[in-house]
Amino acid sequence: MTSGERNRKTTLRTRLRAARRSAVMPAMAAEVLIAVAAFGVSAGQAVCAYVAAPSEPGSVEMLDALRDRGLRVLLPVVVGSSLDWAAYDGELRPGAFGLHEPVGPLLGAAAVGSAALVLVPALAVDHSGVRLGKGGGYYDRALTLSTGPLVALVRDEEFVPSLPAEPHDVRMDAVLTPGSGLVRLPL
Ligand SMILES: Nc1nc2c(c(=O)[nH]1)N(C=O)[C@@H](CNc1ccc(C(=O)N[C@@H](CCC(=O)O)C(=O)O)cc1)CN2
Ligand SMILES: Nc1ncnc2c1ncn2[C@@H]1O[C@H](COP(=O)(O)OP(=O)(O)OP(=O)(O)O)[C@@H](O)[C@H]1O
């Protein structure tokens, strides 16, 4: 049963990645501020975000919009098989997987637990909150240490009724898309 779910995930990832190659990615700068307001996050609090690749929803403008709200923006840094975190100060440098990462000191894996909101990259999310990521398991492992609401950012067509799920998959509390804004999960 689990190997069936794994195969279905792999097939879906291939299809979703291919669809993204010919799509325009939303910057999500206005959308993340909707999530900040909806979850009552205020200036001075920490928010975990991510540096979007060209193939992902999100942007540097999204990170700057959060920082301009007075939020402390924490960004992931891949360290071996784990995610560490560092504060975004407006500067980024090339890191693992062709992604950009923050230049500040590493805060430790547990820093995700200090965030009042966690914005999570995803290839797709379903109505029950199941998230499909790129398959590294980085976020599933990291989010076991988080306490704030988890919000996945996807394109409208990537918010789907149902996805294959495995026991380790951490459920999202909401999904954010350009067309629907913030949708709390499970539906
Ligand atoms: N923007 C962003 N940052 C993130 C993640 C993510 O999904 N998106 N991660 C989520 O866990 C972690 C890194 N994990 C990743 C796992 C796989 C790939 C990946 O397959 N990337 C390319 C291949 C790039 C290369 O190797 O040159 C790809 O998408 O094809 C990227 C990141 C932490 N930071
Ligand atoms: N909490 C965990 N502890 C140990 N291993 C885990 C945990 N969560 C996931 N994994 C492992 O990570 C691998 C990838 O998991 P999965 O396919 O769910 O990744 P993903 O959620 O798509 O990726 P990502 O989180 O990096 O975006 C699996 O082999 C799984 O066993």
Side-chain angles (χ1 to χ4, degrees):
M1 131 103 170
T2 302
S3 85
E5 301 302 281
R6 291 220 66 75
N7 290 339
R8 287 181 60 216
K9 280 188 175 185
T10 304
T11 306
L12 275 168
R13 279 191 190 102
T14 306
R15 194 186 303 159
L16 289 157
R17 281 170 178 268
R20 280 188 173 184
R21 279 196 281 275
S22 57
V24 176
M25 288 303 131
M28 303 302 278
E31 290 83 356
V32 294
L33 298 180
I34 299 174
V36 164
F39 285 106
V41 183
S42 49
Q45 290 192 294
V47 171
C48 285
Y50 62 91
V51 189
S55 63
E56 293 179 313
S59 57
V60 172
E61 297 79 73
M62 168 182 100
L63 305 180
D64 290 334
L66 294 167
R67 212 158 69 97
D68 290 347
R69 274 292 154 104
L71 300 167
R72 186 168 148 77
V73 179
L74 305 185
L75 297 174
V77 180
V78 175
V79 179
S81 59
S82 309
L83 289 190
D84 206 320
W85 300 88
Y88 173 59
D89 65 1
E91 200 181 333
L92 296 168
R93 68 176 171 214
F97 294 112
L99 297 167
H100 280 72
E101 59 182 37
V103 299
L106 295 178
L107 303 171
V112 66
S114 72
L117 177 67
V118 183
L119 304 174
V120 184
L123 286 173
V125 180
D126 80 9
H127 290 181
S128 68
V130 170
R131 161 185 170 274
L132 183 71
K134 286 185 176 164
Y138 288 96
Y139 268 92
D140 286 315
R141 289 186 293 271
L143 295 179
T144 60
L145 301 171
S146 71
T147 54
L150 309 176
V151 180
L153 275 57
V154 294
R155 295 158 62 229
D156 296 309
E157 48 272 68
E158 296 163 348
F159 179 41
V160 297
S162 175
L163 287 170
E166 295 178 277
H168 65 253
D169 286 319
V170 176
R171 301 296 197 270
M172 299 294 110
D173 298 297
V175 63
L176 194 57
T177 78
S180 302
L182 186 79
V183 179
R184 304 223 187 208
L185 303 174
L187 261 192

